[in-house]
Amino acid sequence: MLHRIVAGALALAVPFAIPAAGHAQEKVLKAVMHADVRVIDPIWTTQTIANIHGMLVYDTLFGNDSDLKPHPQMVGKYEISPDKLVYTFTLRDGLKFHDGSPVTSNDVIPSLRRWAARDGVGGRLFSFVEKLEAIDAKTFRMTLNKPYGMVLESLGKTNSSVPVIMRAQEAATDPQQQVKEAIGSGPFRFAKEQWVPGSKAIYLKNPDYVPRPGNEPASSFAGSKFPGVDRLELIWIPDSQTAMQALIAGEIDFFEAPNIDFLPILSRARGVKLEKTGKLDSTLGMIRLNHLHPPFNNPKARQAMYHLIKQEDFLRAVVGNPEYYKQCFSFFTCGSPLTHPTGIAALKDYNPKKALQLMREAGYNGEPITVLQATDHVTITPATQVLIQAMRDAGLNVDAQSMDWGSVVSRRTKKEPPAQGGWNIFVTTTGGVGSSNPVLHTWLGGTCDKALTGWPCDAKIEELRNAYAFAQTDAEKKAAAMAVDERAAEVVTYVPFGQWSVPIAYRQDRIENVVTNTGLAVLWNIRRK
Amino acid sequence: MTAYIVRRLFATLPVMAVVAVFVFFLVRFAPGDPAAIIAGEDATADAIAAVRAKLGLDRPMLEQFVIWTLHLLQGDLGVSIFSDLPVSRLIEQRLEPTVALTFSTLFVAVALAIPIGVIAAWKARKLVDRLAMAFAVLGFAMPVFVLAYVLIWLFSVKWGVLPVQGYSPISQGLWPFLEKLILPSVALGVTYMALIARITRASMLEVLAQDYIRTANSKGLATDRVLLLHALKNAAVPIVTVIGIGIALLISGVVITETVFNIPGLGRLTVDAVLKRDYPIVQGLILVFAAGKVLVNLAIDISYAFLDPRIRY
């Protein structure tokens, strides 16, 4: 009797258990990223995951390497006029969108315009663009009204939002609306019909992709792109422990953002390799003050906050393991070429008594200071707790308002006084690449109402940021950056509390050719062994 | 009976209407703004306002409600603010994993709980009963995620016999489908097993004290016939009620289990939508859950009439 039951069960199960023949030969890469792909338009949102998606599906004109130097990507050749006002670009031969249509200048121009309408770096570039015109199907010309020195770096930027090239019909979409289709000319084609938001996004190799000739070595976004697998699955596993176990068990190949607590386990796991994400640290911590309302509408009160911050305390709470963090007394990522050579003295001066004294001199009389306290963020929550304790220890009256991160993101846009739903302080983080020069680092902006939340208002810092953008030599750039750094410290655009980097983890016994990059993960060249 | 069912189905309409009104306004009164999340970390207040305007979130709340209701009356649950996909498609994608997990969990729970409960009642206050109830209490007290991680470590990492995570649709093969459901069903089923076993025992004890059971025993009927045919059937009403409540709870999502085992079910869809303030998804899901609960309750009520002929509608 029993053998009949077993035989019956097998007869039922076997036909289902045989995998489809088409999948058997496929080379599949399964990667767990830091978030799930929910938005397919990397211009509409600055979310990092949307831009990782964007870099698989679309291509860019230039790509910056790991030293942040731009290299042509879709562009075959380009010329810059001697007065540095006219840039003429010619696209490489054979570039095609996933629907088979050729990539032309008429696709490039609206794509760049749409990017510039949403991205701070793009907006700054286009504020100097007098004319952007197609010369022929493959050639286009950008004419500037000033010799802006960041044209190629901006086009090759490796952090959100990336200036990807879309088809003209998608590029014509209102920048405030999401495109309906993700059809690019990048190394992978987005399989929208298999997309399950909140679970997985599937990408299939683009067989028509034409890599840069000459097998240029890959470095961040630069170099030849070779789609290394037939199928790329971005799987979203919300629980970090489950993702770690899945990597150890070999169910996934690549884990972009393992929890720091699990790194010792992963470092001992057979076949698993941990690797730093790039030359620069990936994340910088910052305490943002609201310049619109007392007490922080007074520069002295803002400067007082420097003396409350012992970076080591924050970093121990946020990261824990000193191997992965470092103190940084500059507004530019430490380790990048433009970081302050000696560090800014005020940022090193931990002195709570002095902080209280400066606050009193600024007119502070114990009024509540509203701190937006995120309760569900892996790094921002502990950092905010350390800040609140440091403020209370110094004798400040803290009104800590607890809420989830989504509410902080919403609440911090309110310009009303704290008592009417506004705020005084929130803690956040920013990327290491974006903070590596005065133009990319939009949190340094002092454009008042147009600035990022906190609304610093300082014409001088904007002048200095522009001076950097027009600097022609490396020495001039370095001097200009140092001036920005020192002015930012004076104005207190924010209070930095150090930087850190969490390594990626992958199965080195199964995949190879992993290209590291600070910021957006580079997945296109990975091959299965 | 038919008239009763029709009456009950009509009675769901005002319930759904009240749920629709509450859920629409509650999600909007909650703090948070999807436009700020979409615009991203480096967005200016103006950029966020522009996104909000394009999404129609700057319109008066009443106007938004009227638009949503008109679409709803046409069977349109709207589109996700983030993915721009229809809410109905997103729910449909997540329905199979949730239904599969619900029924596999109940299978595990009921298959263990009924025998345990019956035996515990039969051997009341003896060692077997105490062991069975200790097991039930332990199962009920142990957090699902603890058991889940233990199972993963043992069966997936140490022995490598079952996968750590994921869900495979039944269309991709029976064994891939089943192997990914075993651990989550056991982890979740233990809790429900404990609950059903305790109810079964309590209900059976009450029935076993009845005169007709004594008569059956004195007639010399075999113990298994007395327990299963005479006692269990009459003890079934509260047991079925608990199982029904279990179905309703499981269908509306078991977030922790779905998260730990990475099952893309409705529970995770709900939590993700709430955290992202994806209003149309939250609204659509709550309506679906409400409808599900109403239907499950109706099915339970109807089952009473079959289990106990004295109950008539």
Side-chain angles (χ1 to χ4, degrees), chain A residues 11-32:
Chain A
L12 187 70
V14 165
F16 289 108
I18 298 169
H23 290 275
Q25 305 299 319
E26 264 190 347
K27 288 182 176 169
V28 181
L29 173 69
K30 295 187 177 186
V32 172

mmCIF file with all atom_site columns, all heavy atoms in Angstrom, chain A residues 11-32:
data_model
loop_
_atom_site.group_PDB
_atom_site.id
_atom_site.type_symbol
_atom_site.label_atom_id
_atom_site.label_alt_id
_atom_site.label_comp_id
_atom_site.label_asym_id
_atom_site.label_entity_id
_atom_site.label_seq_id
_atom_site.pdbx_PDB_ins_code
_atom_site.Cartn_x
_atom_site.Cartn_y
_atom_site.Cartn_z
_atom_site.occupancy
_atom_site.B_iso_or_equiv
_atom_site.pdbx_formal_charge
_atom_site.auth_seq_id
_atom_site.auth_comp_id
_atom_site.auth_asym_id
_atom_site.auth_atom_id
_atom_site.pdbx_PDB_model_num
ATOM 1   N N   . ALA A 1 11 ? 4.720  10.364 -9.062  1.00 0.00 ? 11 ALA A N   1
ATOM 2   C CA  . ALA A 1 11 ? 4.157  10.584 -10.399 1.00 0.00 ? 11 ALA A CA  1
ATOM 3   C C   . ALA A 1 11 ? 3.558  11.982 -10.506 1.00 0.00 ? 11 ALA A C   1
ATOM 4   O O   . ALA A 1 11 ? 3.648  12.647 -11.536 1.00 0.00 ? 11 ALA A O   1
ATOM 5   C CB  . ALA A 1 11 ? 3.099  9.535  -10.692 1.00 0.00 ? 11 ALA A CB  1
ATOM 6   N N   . LEU A 1 12 ? 2.981  12.430 -9.405  1.00 0.00 ? 12 LEU A N   1
ATOM 7   C CA  . LEU A 1 12 ? 2.375  13.766 -9.394  1.00 0.00 ? 12 LEU A CA  1
ATOM 8   C C   . LEU A 1 12 ? 3.443  14.857 -9.359  1.00 0.00 ? 12 LEU A C   1
ATOM 9   O O   . LEU A 1 12 ? 3.341  15.877 -10.038 1.00 0.00 ? 12 LEU A O   1
ATOM 10  C CB  . LEU A 1 12 ? 1.466  13.874 -8.159  1.00 0.00 ? 12 LEU A CB  1
ATOM 11  C CG  . LEU A 1 12 ? 0.623  15.124 -8.042  1.00 0.00 ? 12 LEU A CG  1
ATOM 12  C CD1 . LEU A 1 12 ? -0.466 15.116 -9.106  1.00 0.00 ? 12 LEU A CD1 1
ATOM 13  C CD2 . LEU A 1 12 ? -0.017 15.195 -6.663  1.00 0.00 ? 12 LEU A CD2 1
ATOM 14  N N   . ALA A 1 13 ? 4.493  14.573 -8.569  1.00 0.00 ? 13 ALA A N   1
ATOM 15  C CA  . ALA A 1 13 ? 5.478  15.627 -8.322  1.00 0.00 ? 13 ALA A CA  1
ATOM 16  C C   . ALA A 1 13 ? 6.486  15.794 -9.446  1.00 0.00 ? 13 ALA A C   1
ATOM 17  O O   . ALA A 1 13 ? 6.884  16.917 -9.753  1.00 0.00 ? 13 ALA A O   1
ATOM 18  C CB  . ALA A 1 13 ? 6.224  15.338 -7.014  1.00 0.00 ? 13 ALA A CB  1
ATOM 19  N N   . VAL A 1 14 ? 6.897  14.681 -10.055 1.00 0.00 ? 14 VAL A N   1
ATOM 20  C CA  . VAL A 1 14 ? 8.007  14.747 -11.004 1.00 0.00 ? 14 VAL A CA  1
ATOM 21  C C   . VAL A 1 14 ? 7.776  15.724 -12.166 1.00 0.00 ? 14 VAL A C   1
ATOM 22  O O   . VAL A 1 14 ? 8.634  16.548 -12.458 1.00 0.00 ? 14 VAL A O   1
ATOM 23  C CB  . VAL A 1 14 ? 8.382  13.321 -11.505 1.00 0.00 ? 14 VAL A CB  1
ATOM 24  C CG1 . VAL A 1 14 ? 9.261  13.393 -12.739 1.00 0.00 ? 14 VAL A CG1 1
ATOM 25  C CG2 . VAL A 1 14 ? 9.108  12.580 -10.396 1.00 0.00 ? 14 VAL A CG2 1
ATOM 26  N N   . PRO A 1 15 ? 6.600  15.676 -12.807 1.00 0.00 ? 15 PRO A N   1
ATOM 27  C CA  . PRO A 1 15 ? 6.434  16.613 -13.928 1.00 0.00 ? 15 PRO A CA  1
ATOM 28  C C   . PRO A 1 15 ? 6.577  18.067 -13.503 1.00 0.00 ? 15 PRO A C   1
ATOM 29  O O   . PRO A 1 15 ? 7.062  18.897 -14.249 1.00 0.00 ? 15 PRO A O   1
ATOM 30  C CB  . PRO A 1 15 ? 5.001  16.336 -14.413 1.00 0.00 ? 15 PRO A CB  1
ATOM 31  C CG  . PRO A 1 15 ? 4.619  15.028 -13.839 1.00 0.00 ? 15 PRO A CG  1
ATOM 32  C CD  . PRO A 1 15 ? 5.401  14.863 -12.601 1.00 0.00 ? 15 PRO A CD  1
ATOM 33  N N   . PHE A 1 16 ? 6.143  18.352 -12.294 1.00 0.00 ? 16 PHE A N   1
ATOM 34  C CA  . PHE A 1 16 ? 6.251  19.726 -11.805 1.00 0.00 ? 16 PHE A CA  1
ATOM 35  C C   . PHE A 1 16 ? 7.687  20.076 -11.435 1.00 0.00 ? 16 PHE A C   1
ATOM 36  O O   . PHE A 1 16 ? 8.089  21.215 -11.472 1.00 0.00 ? 16 PHE A O   1
ATOM 37  C CB  . PHE A 1 16 ? 5.366  19.917 -10.568 1.00 0.00 ? 16 PHE A CB  1
ATOM 38  C CG  . PHE A 1 16 ? 3.906  19.923 -10.877 1.00 0.00 ? 16 PHE A CG  1
ATOM 39  C CD1 . PHE A 1 16 ? 3.098  18.857 -10.520 1.00 0.00 ? 16 PHE A CD1 1
ATOM 40  C CD2 . PHE A 1 16 ? 3.339  21.010 -11.530 1.00 0.00 ? 16 PHE A CD2 1
ATOM 41  C CE1 . PHE A 1 16 ? 1.750  18.880 -10.801 1.00 0.00 ? 16 PHE A CE1 1
ATOM 42  C CE2 . PHE A 1 16 ? 1.984  21.026 -11.815 1.00 0.00 ? 16 PHE A CE2 1
ATOM 43  C CZ  . PHE A 1 16 ? 1.188  19.955 -11.451 1.00 0.00 ? 16 PHE A CZ  1
ATOM 44  N N   . ALA A 1 17 ? 8.413  19.050 -10.989 1.00 0.00 ? 17 ALA A N   1
ATOM 45  C CA  . ALA A 1 17 ? 9.741  19.328 -10.424 1.00 0.00 ? 17 ALA A CA  1
ATOM 46  C C   . ALA A 1 17 ? 10.791 19.562 -11.489 1.00 0.00 ? 17 ALA A C   1
ATOM 47  O O   . ALA A 1 17 ? 11.827 20.148 -11.218 1.00 0.00 ? 17 ALA A O   1
ATOM 48  C CB  . ALA A 1 17 ? 10.174 18.159 -9.543  1.00 0.00 ? 17 ALA A CB  1
ATOM 49  N N   . ILE A 1 18 ? 10.534 19.111 -12.731 1.00 0.00 ? 18 ILE A N   1
ATOM 50  C CA  . ILE A 1 18 ? 11.539 19.300 -13.785 1.00 0.00 ? 18 ILE A CA  1
ATOM 51  C C   . ILE A 1 18 ? 11.537 20.755 -14.225 1.00 0.00 ? 18 ILE A C   1
ATOM 52  O O   . ILE A 1 18 ? 10.504 21.278 -14.639 1.00 0.00 ? 18 ILE A O   1
ATOM 53  C CB  . ILE A 1 18 ? 11.251 18.378 -14.994 1.00 0.00 ? 18 ILE A CB  1
ATOM 54  C CG1 . ILE A 1 18 ? 11.346 16.910 -14.537 1.00 0.00 ? 18 ILE A CG1 1
ATOM 55  C CG2 . ILE A 1 18 ? 12.201 18.645 -16.139 1.00 0.00 ? 18 ILE A CG2 1
ATOM 56  C CD1 . ILE A 1 18 ? 10.820 15.924 -15.552 1.00 0.00 ? 18 ILE A CD1 1
ATOM 57  N N   . PRO A 1 19 ? 12.683 21.424 -14.079 1.00 0.00 ? 19 PRO A N   1
ATOM 58  C CA  . PRO A 1 19 ? 12.699 22.823 -14.457 1.00 0.00 ? 19 PRO A CA  1
ATOM 59  C C   . PRO A 1 19 ? 12.522 22.997 -15.956 1.00 0.00 ? 19 PRO A C   1
ATOM 60  O O   . PRO A 1 19 ? 12.858 22.117 -16.739 1.00 0.00 ? 19 PRO A O   1
ATOM 61  C CB  . PRO A 1 19 ? 14.092 23.300 -14.014 1.00 0.00 ? 19 PRO A CB  1
ATOM 62  C CG  . PRO A 1 19 ? 14.906 22.062 -13.863 1.00 0.00 ? 19 PRO A CG  1
ATOM 63  C CD  . PRO A 1 19 ? 13.974 20.940 -13.619 1.00 0.00 ? 19 PRO A CD  1
ATOM 64  N N   . ALA A 1 20 ? 11.986 24.143 -16.318 1.00 0.00 ? 20 ALA A N   1
ATOM 65  C CA  . ALA A 1 20 ? 11.794 24.434 -17.740 1.00 0.00 ? 20 ALA A CA  1
ATOM 66  C C   . ALA A 1 20 ? 13.135 24.413 -18.445 1.00 0.00 ? 20 ALA A C   1
ATOM 67  O O   . ALA A 1 20 ? 14.127 24.922 -17.931 1.00 0.00 ? 20 ALA A O   1
ATOM 68  C CB  . ALA A 1 20 ? 11.136 25.792 -17.885 1.00 0.00 ? 20 ALA A CB  1
ATOM 69  N N   . ALA A 1 21 ? 13.149 23.821 -19.645 1.00 0.00 ? 21 ALA A N   1
ATOM 70  C CA  . ALA A 1 21 ? 14.416 23.629 -20.358 1.00 0.00 ? 21 ALA A CA  1
ATOM 71  C C   . ALA A 1 21 ? 15.118 24.953 -20.635 1.00 0.00 ? 21 ALA A C   1
ATOM 72  O O   . ALA A 1 21 ? 16.335 25.058 -20.573 1.00 0.00 ? 21 ALA A O   1
ATOM 73  C CB  . ALA A 1 21 ? 14.155 22.900 -21.654 1.00 0.00 ? 21 ALA A CB  1
ATOM 74  N N   . GLY A 1 22 ? 14.332 25.977 -20.901 1.00 0.00 ? 22 GLY A N   1
ATOM 75  C CA  . GLY A 1 22 ? 14.910 27.268 -21.236 1.00 0.00 ? 22 GLY A CA  1
ATOM 76  C C   . GLY A 1 22 ? 15.751 27.869 -20.135 1.00 0.00 ? 22 GLY A C   1
ATOM 77  O O   . GLY A 1 22 ? 16.683 28.617 -20.383 1.00 0.00 ? 22 GLY A O   1
ATOM 78  N N   . HIS A 1 23 ? 15.417 27.537 -18.886 1.00 0.00 ? 23 HIS A N   1
ATOM 79  C CA  . HIS A 1 23 ? 16.130 28.126 -17.758 1.00 0.00 ? 23 HIS A CA  1
ATOM 80  C C   . HIS A 1 23 ? 17.414 27.375 -17.424 1.00 0.00 ? 23 HIS A C   1
ATOM 81  O O   . HIS A 1 23 ? 18.276 27.900 -16.739 1.00 0.00 ? 23 HIS A O   1
ATOM 82  C CB  . HIS A 1 23 ? 15.232 28.161 -16.518 1.00 0.00 ? 23 HIS A CB  1
ATOM 83  C CG  . HIS A 1 23 ? 14.114 29.155 -16.659 1.00 0.00 ? 23 HIS A CG  1
ATOM 84  N ND1 . HIS A 1 23 ? 14.273 30.484 -16.349 1.00 0.00 ? 23 HIS A ND1 1
ATOM 85  C CD2 . HIS A 1 23 ? 12.845 29.014 -17.081 1.00 0.00 ? 23 HIS A CD2 1
ATOM 86  C CE1 . HIS A 1 23 ? 13.134 31.123 -16.574 1.00 0.00 ? 23 HIS A CE1 1
ATOM 87  N NE2 . HIS A 1 23 ? 12.257 30.261 -17.024 1.00 0.00 ? 23 HIS A NE2 1
ATOM 88  N N   . ALA A 1 24 ? 17.490 26.111 -17.910 1.00 0.00 ? 24 ALA A N   1
ATOM 89  C CA  . ALA A 1 24 ? 18.584 25.260 -17.470 1.00 0.00 ? 24 ALA A CA  1
ATOM 90  C C   . ALA A 1 24 ? 19.949 25.827 -17.828 1.00 0.00 ? 24 ALA A C   1
ATOM 91  O O   . ALA A 1 24 ? 20.897 25.717 -17.057 1.00 0.00 ? 24 ALA A O   1
ATOM 92  C CB  . ALA A 1 24 ? 18.411 23.872 -18.064 1.00 0.00 ? 24 ALA A CB  1
ATOM 93  N N   . GLN A 1 25 ? 20.068 26.456 -19.014 1.00 0.00 ? 25 GLN A N   1
ATOM 94  C CA  . GLN A 1 25 ? 21.367 26.925 -19.472 1.00 0.00 ? 25 GLN A CA  1
ATOM 95  C C   . GLN A 1 25 ? 21.657 28.366 -19.042 1.00 0.00 ? 25 GLN A C   1
ATOM 96  O O   . GLN A 1 25 ? 22.760 28.843 -19.230 1.00 0.00 ? 25 GLN A O   1
ATOM 97  C CB  . GLN A 1 25 ? 21.418 26.852 -21.013 1.00 0.00 ? 25 GLN A CB  1
ATOM 98  C CG  . GLN A 1 25 ? 21.105 25.478 -21.601 1.00 0.00 ? 25 GLN A CG  1
ATOM 99  C CD  . GLN A 1 25 ? 22.083 24.429 -21.134 1.00 0.00 ? 25 GLN A CD  1
ATOM 100 O OE1 . GLN A 1 25 ? 23.276 24.686 -21.051 1.00 0.00 ? 25 GLN A OE1 1
ATOM 101 N NE2 . GLN A 1 25 ? 21.590 23.249 -20.799 1.00 0.00 ? 25 GLN A NE2 1
ATOM 102 N N   . GLU A 1 26 ? 20.686 29.007 -18.472 1.00 0.00 ? 26 GLU A N   1
ATOM 103 C CA  . GLU A 1 26 ? 20.837 30.427 -18.161 1.00 0.00 ? 26 GLU A CA  1
ATOM 104 C C   . GLU A 1 26 ? 21.854 30.652 -17.054 1.00 0.00 ? 26 GLU A C   1
ATOM 105 O O   . GLU A 1 26 ? 21.900 29.918 -16.077 1.00 0.00 ? 26 GLU A O   1
ATOM 106 C CB  . GLU A 1 26 ? 19.490 30.992 -17.680 1.00 0.00 ? 26 GLU A CB  1
ATOM 107 C CG  . GLU A 1 26 ? 18.684 31.649 -18.749 1.00 0.00 ? 26 GLU A CG  1
ATOM 108 C CD  . GLU A 1 26 ? 17.502 32.374 -18.166 1.00 0.00 ? 26 GLU A CD  1
ATOM 109 O OE1 . GLU A 1 26 ? 17.171 32.164 -16.985 1.00 0.00 ? 26 GLU A OE1 1
ATOM 110 O OE2 . GLU A 1 26 ? 16.898 33.138 -18.913 1.00 0.00 ? 26 GLU A OE2 1
ATOM 111 N N   . LYS A 1 27 ? 22.655 31.716 -17.238 1.00 0.00 ? 27 LYS A N   1
ATOM 112 C CA  . LYS A 1 27 ? 23.543 32.139 -16.156 1.00 0.00 ? 27 LYS A CA  1
ATOM 113 C C   . LYS A 1 27 ? 22.808 33.223 -15.387 1.00 0.00 ? 27 LYS A C   1
ATOM 114 O O   . LYS A 1 27 ? 22.487 34.272 -15.952 1.00 0.00 ? 27 LYS A O   1
ATOM 115 C CB  . LYS A 1 27 ? 24.850 32.675 -16.716 1.00 0.00 ? 27 LYS A CB  1
ATOM 116 C CG  . LYS A 1 27 ? 25.727 31.588 -17.292 1.00 0.00 ? 27 LYS A CG  1
ATOM 117 C CD  . LYS A 1 27 ? 27.031 32.139 -17.785 1.00 0.00 ? 27 LYS A CD  1
ATOM 118 C CE  . LYS A 1 27 ? 27.905 30.985 -18.254 1.00 0.00 ? 27 LYS A CE  1
ATOM 119 N NZ  . LYS A 1 27 ? 29.074 31.456 -18.978 1.00 0.00 ? 27 LYS A NZ  1
ATOM 120 N N   . VAL A 1 28 ? 22.524 32.934 -14.137 1.00 0.00 ? 28 VAL A N   1
ATOM 121 C CA  . VAL A 1 28 ? 21.690 33.830 -13.341 1.00 0.00 ? 28 VAL A CA  1
ATOM 122 C C   . VAL A 1 28 ? 22.503 34.404 -12.186 1.00 0.00 ? 28 VAL A C   1
ATOM 123 O O   . VAL A 1 28 ? 23.259 33.691 -11.533 1.00 0.00 ? 28 VAL A O   1
ATOM 124 C CB  . VAL A 1 28 ? 20.453 33.079 -12.778 1.00 0.00 ? 28 VAL A CB  1
ATOM 125 C CG1 . VAL A 1 28 ? 19.573 34.013 -11.967 1.00 0.00 ? 28 VAL A CG1 1
ATOM 126 C CG2 . VAL A 1 28 ? 19.659 32.443 -13.910 1.00 0.00 ? 28 VAL A CG2 1
ATOM 127 N N   . LEU A 1 29 ? 22.350 35.680 -11.969 1.00 0.00 ? 29 LEU A N   1
ATOM 128 C CA  . LEU A 1 29 ? 22.957 36.325 -10.798 1.00 0.00 ? 29 LEU A CA  1
ATOM 129 C C   . LEU A 1 29 ? 21.827 36.768 -9.889  1.00 0.00 ? 29 LEU A C   1
ATOM 130 O O   . LEU A 1 29 ? 20.926 37.498 -10.314 1.00 0.00 ? 29 LEU A O   1
ATOM 131 C CB  . LEU A 1 29 ? 23.787 37.540 -11.239 1.00 0.00 ? 29 LEU A CB  1
ATOM 132 C CG  . LEU A 1 29 ? 24.345 38.398 -10.101 1.00 0.00 ? 29 LEU A CG  1
ATOM 133 C CD1 . LEU A 1 29 ? 25.426 37.662 -9.329  1.00 0.00 ? 29 LEU A CD1 1
ATOM 134 C CD2 . LEU A 1 29 ? 24.896 39.711 -10.636 1.00 0.00 ? 29 LEU A CD2 1
ATOM 135 N N   . LYS A 1 30 ? 21.888 36.319 -8.626  1.00 0.00 ? 30 LYS A N   1
ATOM 136 C CA  . LYS A 1 30 ? 20.862 36.718 -7.664  1.00 0.00 ? 30 LYS A CA  1
ATOM 137 C C   . LYS A 1 30 ? 21.499 37.669 -6.657  1.00 0.00 ? 30 LYS A C   1
ATOM 138 O O   . LYS A 1 30 ? 22.430 37.275 -5.943  1.00 0.00 ? 30 LYS A O   1
ATOM 139 C CB  . LYS A 1 30 ? 20.286 35.493 -6.962  1.00 0.00 ? 30 LYS A CB  1
ATOM 140 C CG  . LYS A 1 30 ? 19.531 34.582 -7.909  1.00 0.00 ? 30 LYS A CG  1
ATOM 141 C CD  . LYS A 1 30 ? 18.828 33.468 -7.179  1.00 0.00 ? 30 LYS A CD  1
ATOM 142 C CE  . LYS A 1 30 ? 18.037 32.627 -8.186  1.00 0.00 ? 30 LYS A CE  1
ATOM 143 N NZ  . LYS A 1 30 ? 17.221 31.626 -7.572  1.00 0.00 ? 30 LYS A NZ  1
ATOM 144 N N   . ALA A 1 31 ? 20.989 38.874 -6.625  1.00 0.00 ? 31 ALA A N   1
ATOM 145 C CA  . ALA A 1 31 ? 21.588 39.896 -5.767  1.00 0.00 ? 31 ALA A CA  1
ATOM 146 C C   . ALA A 1 31 ? 20.532 40.475 -4.832  1.00 0.00 ? 31 ALA A C   1
ATOM 147 O O   . ALA A 1 31 ? 19.405 40.737 -5.242  1.00 0.00 ? 31 ALA A O   1
ATOM 148 C CB  . ALA A 1 31 ? 22.174 41.002 -6.643  1.00 0.00 ? 31 ALA A CB  1
ATOM 149 N N   . VAL A 1 32 ? 20.911 40.628 -3.582  1.00 0.00 ? 32 VAL A N   1
ATOM 150 C CA  . VAL A 1 32 ? 20.026 41.288 -2.615  1.00 0.00 ? 32 VAL A CA  1
ATOM 151 C C   . VAL A 1 32 ? 20.583 42.690 -2.373  1.00 0.00 ? 32 VAL A C   1
ATOM 152 O O   . VAL A 1 32 ? 21.731 42.849 -1.977  1.00 0.00 ? 32 VAL A O   1
ATOM 153 C CB  . VAL A 1 32 ? 19.966 40.500 -1.288  1.00 0.00 ? 32 VAL A CB  1
ATOM 154 C CG1 . VAL A 1 32 ? 19.214 41.286 -0.221  1.00 0.00 ? 32 VAL A CG1 1
ATOM 155 C CG2 . VAL A 1 32 ? 19.288 39.163 -1.512  1.00 0.00 ? 32 VAL A CG2 1
#
